């Protein structure tokens, strides 16, 4: 049985807090950590299980820091005696001029499958995809709910 945990830190992104630097441009950016763990349990588990995985923001408002790409492919190896593998990746919020939607949450997904290097007898059951989200903090008051203050006047 496979179980997956995916979380983001911090929960909310403040575009004004720029704690990371893009490697290609040295530009300061608002960033967050994508934390993922996959665990396996069951009978007759092989000595190691190799998984092919992909993480990606579902909208291109965030990119991964060390590649500047919207998705990353990688392999994870779970050792039988440990039963779990974790990995952290850093992503960053693109500059506000590069996207218009600042209200919708940013969704991050993790999908994985058995690598071709596993033996034919290995079968993976359980959760193979998980999605989590973070929001961009705007100057919207204490409840962080933005309500437009649109006023129209007309004259005849």
């Amino acid at each position: 049985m496979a179980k997956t945990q995916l979380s983001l830190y911090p929960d909310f992104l403040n575009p004004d807090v720029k704690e990371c630097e893009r490697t290609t441009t040295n530009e300061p950016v608002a960033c967050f950590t994508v934390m993922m763990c996959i665990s396996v349990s069951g009978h007759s588990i092989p000595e190691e299980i190799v998984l092919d995985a992909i993480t990606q923001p579902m909208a291109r408002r965030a990119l991964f820091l060390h590649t500047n790409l919207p998705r990353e492919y990688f392999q994870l190896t779970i050792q039988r005696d440990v039963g779990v593998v974790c990995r952290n990746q850093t992503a960053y919020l693109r500059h506000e001029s590069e996207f218009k939607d600042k209200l919708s949450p940013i969704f991050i997904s993790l999908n994985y499958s058995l690598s071709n290097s596993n033996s034919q007898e290995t079968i993976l059951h359980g959760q193979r995809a998980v999605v989590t989200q973070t929001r961009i903090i705007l100057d919207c008051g204490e409840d962080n709910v933005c309500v437009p203050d649109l006023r129209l006047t007309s004259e005849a």
Side-chain angles (χ1 to χ4, degrees), residues 58-121:
M58 297 171 116
R60 304 236 171 149
R61 294 177 286 164
L63 300 174
F64 288 103
L65 190 61
H66 71 278
T67 61
N68 292 312
L69 294 173
R71 70 177 50 95
E72 288 199 358
Y73 298 93
F74 52 92
Q75 284 194 330
L76 297 170
T77 301
I78 302 174
Q79 301 296 327
R80 178 176 57 197
D81 57 341
V82 177
V84 65
V85 65
C86 294
R87 178 180 172 136
N88 290 345
Q89 295 174 291
T90 303
Y92 70 92
L93 186 63
R94 296 173 73 182
H95 192 272
E96 291 178 8
S97 65
E98 298 180 67
F99 63 91
K100 293 181 175 145
D101 181 4
K102 295 176 180 72
L103 297 178
S104 300
I106 295 174
F107 291 93
I108 307 285
S109 69
L110 167 65
N111 299 288
Y112 62 92
S113 59
L114 284 172
S115 172
N116 291 335
S117 65
N118 288 296
S119 67
Q120 296 291 343
E121 299 85 37

Side-chain angles (χ1 to χ4, degrees), residues 1 41-46:
M1 176 67 98
S41 60
H43 300 288
S44 304
I45 296 176

Side-chain angles (χ1 to χ4, degrees), residues 27-44:
E27 171 192 4
V29 290
C31 59
F32 58 99
T33 302
V34 180
M35 298 172 283
M36 63 198 88
C37 289
I38 302 170
S39 62
V40 293
S41 60
H43 300 288
S44 304

Side-chain angles (χ1 to χ4, degrees), residues 116-141:
N116 291 335
S117 65
N118 288 296
S119 67
Q120 296 291 343
E121 299 85 37
T122 305
I123 298 173
L124 188 65
H125 294 286
Q127 187 180 20
R128 292 191 214 170
V130 66
V131 176
T132 192
Q133 70 181 30
T134 187
R135 294 184 180 273
I136 300 172
I137 294 177
L138 302 168
D139 189 14
C140 295

